[in-house]
Amino acid sequence: MGLSAPSISSVKVRNGADPLVMVTAYDAPGARIASAAGADIILVGDSVAMVVLGYDDTLQVTVDDMVHHIAAVARAKPNCHIVGDLPWMSYHVSPEDTVRNAAALMRAGAHSVKLEGGRKRLPMIEKIIDAEIPVMGHIGLTPQSVHAMGGFKVQGRQAEQARKLVQAAKSLEHAGCYALVLEGVPVRVAQAVTEAVSIPTIGIGAGPHTDGQVLVYHDLLGLEDRMIPKFVRRYADLNSASVEAIQAFASDVRSGAFPDECESYHMADDQAAELLGLYGHTD
Ligand code: KIV
């Protein structure tokens, strides 16, 4: 299982801790890779909508979709804390629905849930925490608000907006969140938020002064080749490597070079001779 939510809650770089490493994953092989690489936290993010399911935003995924992907990640038994992302409209309608939806993600194998938004989400966050489910907050650029924000835009560039983000972070901490994702905010804002709270901040497009960093699996491995946000660093080019590998397979199939003897199954000679007797030839 890796780290628990309570142990994550005390990770602060200013107290000498190593920064938290979080990466998204959406299936069993991805979870095994993240675990083998030593990630602390796997986020089964609603980004699955865009990087796996082909949607243009994250609004299309449902609780059932998230349950499906969280369960696949959990079956891999990674040595990581698994965070399940609550999708849009799963925590906006009623406290009962919200707790039921958070519980569905936990039953699928998450160790905690994440949801987007600041002060207006506090009543739902409190209900989830009352049900003994740890909650990770997410403020700044919150992709589920893409239409309300007028696009995927950096948040907190104005001092007043930045002040509100610091206030939101403090409220989320006060409500009991064990950690916060800070997405798409200027470095100074991430720094101010990180200083203002005693729970860890995990940044994405938030500069180097947070208590951890998260990247989307397909971005960091270079599997996603359509859009490269400024904050992404690519550590591999698996898209090109995959295209080249499948081109090589296609070429071997077309030339007859695949499969070879070692990649094929064989019969004992006597059985092959009997088959030859029946049909005249064995191939
Ligand atoms: O869904 C996701 O991948 C996220 C990260 C970008 C933090 O919420």
Side-chain angles (χ1 to χ4, degrees), residues 208-255:
H209 303 301
T210 51
D211 299 301
Q213 296 290 333
V214 52
L215 280 178
V216 167
Y217 186 90
H218 292 62
D219 289 340
L220 95 83
L221 292 178
L223 280 162
E224 172 59 66
D225 65 338
R226 294 165 301 174
M227 197 177 70
I228 312 175
K230 173 187 167 86
F231 57 81
V232 168
R233 185 178 297 175
R234 289 214 158 140
Y235 288 88
D237 183 2
L238 296 194
N239 188 298
S240 303
S242 305
V243 170
E244 278 165 28
I246 294 174
Q247 275 171 342
F249 167 62
S251 156
D252 283 354
V253 169
R254 289 178 184 133
S255 71

Side-chain angles (χ1 to χ4, degrees), residues 24 26 43 45-47 85 114 116 138 181 183 204 214 216:
T24 68
Y26 316 99
L43 168 65
D46 62 356
S47 50
D85 219 0
K114 176 172 85 60
E116 297 181 6
H138 182 163
V181 168
E183 178 167 357
I204 175 161
V214 52
V216 167

Side-chain angles (χ1 to χ4, degrees), residues 59-267:
L59 306 183
Q60 310 302 328
V61 283
T62 63
V63 171
D64 286 348
D65 293 327
M66 295 309 299
V67 161
H68 178 78
H69 288 280
I70 291 165
V73 164
R75 280 193 289 270
K77 298 193 173 41
N79 187 26
C80 309
H81 182 95
I82 302 172
V83 182
D85 219 0
L86 280 163
W88 181 59
M89 289 309 284
S90 68
Y91 55 96
H92 303 69
V93 179
S94 73
E96 292 76 16
D97 277 353
T98 299
V99 174
R100 213 171 285 120
N101 290 331
L105 304 198
M106 298 298 282
R107 286 198 171 127
H111 304 128
S112 64
V113 300
K114 176 172 85 60
L115 58 81
E116 297 181 6
R119 302 177 79 144
K120 60 184 167 191
R121 302 290 165 230
L122 294 178
M124 299 302 190
I125 290 173
E126 280 160 10
K127 290 289 178 201
I128 300 172
I129 292 173
D130 274 355
E132 314 299 343
I133 300 173
V135 177
M136 178 181 279
H138 182 163
I139 56 173
L141 193 172
T142 46
Q144 292 173 12
S145 321
V146 59
H147 297 295
M149 291 182 309
F152 295 105
K153 292 184 177 156
V154 173
Q155 301 293 300
R157 285 195 199 269
Q158 307 300 320
E160 178 53 17
Q161 221 192 4
R163 189 190 64 78
K164 285 189 176 149
L165 284 173
V166 174
Q167 282 311 116
K170 286 183 174 172
S171 313
L172 293 175
E173 176 179 21
H174 189 250
C177 288
Y178 73 93
L180 283 182
V181 168
L182 270 182
E183 178 167 357
V185 296
V187 174
R188 294 297 296 270
V189 177
Q191 207 168 6
V193 170
T194 302
E195 279 165 15
V197 295
S198 58
I199 53 173
T201 56
I202 303 176
I204 175 161
H209 303 301
T210 51
D211 299 301
Q213 296 290 333
V214 52
L215 280 178
V216 167
Y217 186 90
H218 292 62
D219 289 340
L220 95 83
L221 292 178
L223 280 162
E224 172 59 66
D225 65 338
R226 294 165 301 174
M227 197 177 70
I228 312 175
K230 173 187 167 86
F231 57 81
V232 168
R233 185 178 297 175
R234 289 214 158 140
Y235 288 88
D237 183 2
L238 296 194
N239 188 298
S240 303
S242 305
V243 170
E244 278 165 28
I246 294 174
Q247 275 171 342
F249 167 62
S251 156
D252 283 354
V253 169
R254 289 178 184 133
S255 71
F258 177 84
D260 65 16
E261 283 293 295
C262 308
E263 290 152 341
S264 307
Y265 297 104
H266 301 284
M267 298 174 86

